[in-house]
Amino acid sequence: MKKYALILLSVTALALSSCSPFQVRSDYAATADFNSYKTYKLRIDDLKLNDIDKDRVLNEISRQLQSKGLHSGENPDLIINLTANHKKVTDVESVRPYGYYGWGGPWGMGMGMNRTWSTHYNSGSLIIDMIDAKTQKLVWQGIGDGISVDSPKSKQKQIPEIVAEIMANYPPQKSKKN
């Protein structure tokens, strides 16, 4: 019975983990010692957002970094460079049902119709670069795509969610080789 409970738990966890509307990925320098980083400073030169969204991003980034034991400082170990952008997306969906009337089912003669819908929207991305302040080299990068930038209510909800999902990959879990 425990075997079935474990399988059910695994399937449920997989289903819940794949429910995110975001595409998140990260990369890191294998030579970086992430335990040595204690302080950070935010650099927002490339953060082209309105003031409301900028505050949302900065507050959530700071909250996430502090939850991981990092503290803001003027002489930082890490420089956190934030970049945001968006792109226009067009989704096209087409449904072609089989013939409605006639003989022979889908392969016979008859009349049918094709329905096509297109949806246009803007999708936002957030890029978090962590740069070693001493070496000025990129040591970690997290990217999140899929923010619905057309809806203020969606952005209000999604910005903290996507930052949390990106930062879940920091510090990276280095795989142990056998």
Side-chain angles (χ1 to χ4, degrees), residues 37-43 57-72 78-82 128-130 140 163-164 167-168 170-171:
Y37 301 128
K38 304 295 181 205
T39 58
Y40 70 91
K41 184 172 184 176
L42 296 173
R43 185 169 63 193
V57 170
L58 295 177
N59 289 336
E60 188 61 26
I61 290 279
S62 292
R63 192 177 77 68
Q64 290 289 330
L65 289 169
Q66 289 168 8
S67 75
K68 295 178 182 292
L70 295 165
H71 303 285
S72 181
L78 284 173
I79 298 168
I80 313 298
N81 187 44
L82 304 168
I128 303 170
D129 291 333
M130 295 188 180
W140 187 88
V163 171
M167 293 304 296
Y170 182 85

Side-chain angles (χ1 to χ4, degrees), residues 2 5 22 38-40 57 63 73-74 86-87 89-90 114 121 128 143 172-173 177:
K2 287 183 181 181
F22 311 117
K38 304 295 181 205
T39 58
Y40 70 91
V57 170
R63 192 177 77 68
E74 286 304 312
H86 75 277
K87 62 182 175 183
V89 178
T90 302
N114 187 23
Y121 59 95
I128 303 170
I143 302 170
Q173 302 298 319
K177 296 181 181 178

